[in-house]
Amino acid sequence: MKKLIFVMAALSLAFVGCNTDKEFEQPVENKALKVVVNMDKPSFGDDTRAARTDWEDGDEVVVTIENNIADYCLILTYDGTSKKWATTVMVPNMRTGVFVEGSISNIADDILGDATEVSSIARAAYFSSGVAEIVYGNLSAAASTRASVTDGLIIATNAGLGCSWKGNNTPSSGSRFGECIMICREGEFTLKETDDSYELTLDITMQPMVAQFTIRDLKVEDDWRIWVDAPMTFAAGGYFTERGIYINAIEYQNLGYCHQNGNDISIYAVPWQSNDDIPSYMLPEDVDFDTLEEDFYTTCPYYVNIHSTDYSIDFERDFGVKGVLEAGDAVIVDGPYTSGAEDKWE
């Protein structure tokens, strides 16, 4: 399977951003940290019914600054009530490599040096299930080959670990779910030191790494599971290296993290862009990559199964071949309870 280096994708056919200029103060040792976050949130596709047009309570974004991934990073957490971002400075435990909460004092001298103001590149990644752990260490053999590096800042998310997370859905223990992932390759940060505070400004524009698939007239609270066999790969979590941001494919799993979009449920996955993206376990029997037509990936159909956790309610539908999608695209289909579509689901 082609290893998923991050996909350079159009933000979407119709980009809907929500800029926020939010300030807050949090005390740290001798000086306060004042943060201004300017961050766009894109929607998916050209149909507003499928769009997530604003940040939601509990959304988390991991930010690296000055490409210094081994020594510090930030976690931005959105408060849906105040409409502000809380900023947590993260530094590694020198013994374990696991990042723990620190303070601006831990990193300010390293960033500023002899200057009182520094600007440089900021990179960011959003994972919809939330961050479970951040650690700096050796990448897996597959990841190392993919990135041509041996070390990175590894972001383990709740969806990738298969444990419960903040939000609408709680998977059973051990399940891995594909999640909504967005990244920013080249944002900007500015850190300025004053007599009584540090002022950090972040300017970040997010890009979807996945396409959004929406099924009408379903509620997450009814505890649906959505299984998809289609020309796309579910992903969860990822890592930062000095060369860029990478996302992790979830192999042998076709379950999507369910997100409520109005009256509908959406899931997210990375669309295939070539035969190299096809996992070997999804090839037809007795077929190998060497015998595939160059555009075989475009001929794969979309098969969807929707069921309750106990399988007491179970629907399935074959949507046939739908063509090539890109990250940032949106597909909306009628669900089994949509008026006029009941007979389309078995």
Side-chain angles (χ1 to χ4, degrees), residues 7-80:
V7 185
M8 178 65 180
L11 291 181
S12 65
L13 297 179
F15 183 93
V16 180
C18 179
N19 283 336
T20 57
D21 294 329
K22 306 298 181 185
E23 295 191 5
F24 71 95
E25 292 187 1
Q26 65 182 40
V28 296
E29 295 186 5
N30 298 322
K31 291 188 177 184
L33 171 62
K34 181 184 291 185
V35 180
V36 178
V37 179
N38 307 310
M39 182 154 50
D40 287 326
K41 175 67 174 290
S43 65
F44 289 79
D46 59 355
D47 192 324
T48 57
R49 290 170 298 182
R52 293 186 61 187
T53 57
D54 200 358
W55 295 101
E56 299 180 356
D57 188 61
D59 277 346
E60 292 182 327
V61 177
V62 179
V63 180
T64 61
I65 53 182
E66 279 213 321
N67 208 20
N68 196 332
I69 57 176
D71 295 329
Y72 44 78
C73 67
L74 307 174
I75 296 181
L76 307 180
T77 306
Y78 191 69
D79 186 321

Side-chain angles (χ1 to χ4, degrees), residues 64-253:
T64 61
I65 53 182
E66 279 213 321
N67 208 20
N68 196 332
I69 57 176
D71 295 329
Y72 44 78
C73 67
L74 307 174
I75 296 181
L76 307 180
T77 306
Y78 191 69
D79 186 321
T81 301
S82 66
K83 308 298 183 184
K84 295 180 179 180
W85 290 96
T87 302
T88 304
V89 176
M90 303 293 290
V91 296
N93 178 302
M94 293 290 94
R95 182 176 61 84
T96 64
V98 176
F99 277 58
V100 296
E101 185 172 348
S103 73
I104 189 62
S105 298
N106 295 126
I107 66 175
D109 288 343
D110 182 62
I111 297 173
L112 290 170
D114 295 329
T116 58
E117 182 174 340
V118 169
S119 296
S120 188
I121 292 177
R123 296 187 297 171
Y126 163 75
F127 304 98
S128 60
S129 71
V131 176
E133 185 177 72
I134 301 175
V135 59
Y136 187 86
N138 293 329
L139 303 174
S140 67
S144 179
T145 301
R146 180 189 325 167
S148 299
V149 293
T150 57
D151 297 314
L153 187 71
I154 303 165
I155 314 298
T157 64
N158 292 309
L161 293 178
C163 57
S164 63
W165 59 69
K166 304 173 188 176
N168 297 324
N169 209 353
T170 302
S172 59
S173 178
S175 296
R176 294 185 179 185
F177 284 52
E179 61 184 325
C180 183
I181 302 175
M182 304 180 189
I183 66 100
C184 174
R185 290 192 309 157
E186 293 189 0
E188 183 178 55
F189 82 90
T190 299
L191 182 65
K192 179 180 179 180
E193 183 178 12
T194 67
D195 290 339
D196 58 358
S197 70
Y198 293 101
E199 298 177 2
L200 176 65
T201 301
L202 295 169
D203 292 293
I204 296 169
T205 299
M206 305 301 285
Q207 295 176 303
M209 296 294 98
V210 292
Q212 177 175 276
F213 301 83
T214 299
I215 302 175
R216 290 192 178 115
D217 302 310
L218 293 178
K219 297 292 184 183
V220 169
E221 63 189 30
D222 293 331
D223 216 13
W224 293 105
R225 293 293 181 265
I226 299 179
W227 183 93
V228 181
D229 188 351
M232 59 187 192
T233 302
F234 289 97
Y239 54 94
F240 291 70
T241 75
E242 293 180 355
R243 299 190 181 190
I245 304 172
Y246 301 80
I247 59 177
N248 288 330
I250 299 176
E251 297 192 54
Y252 304 104
Q253 293 285 347

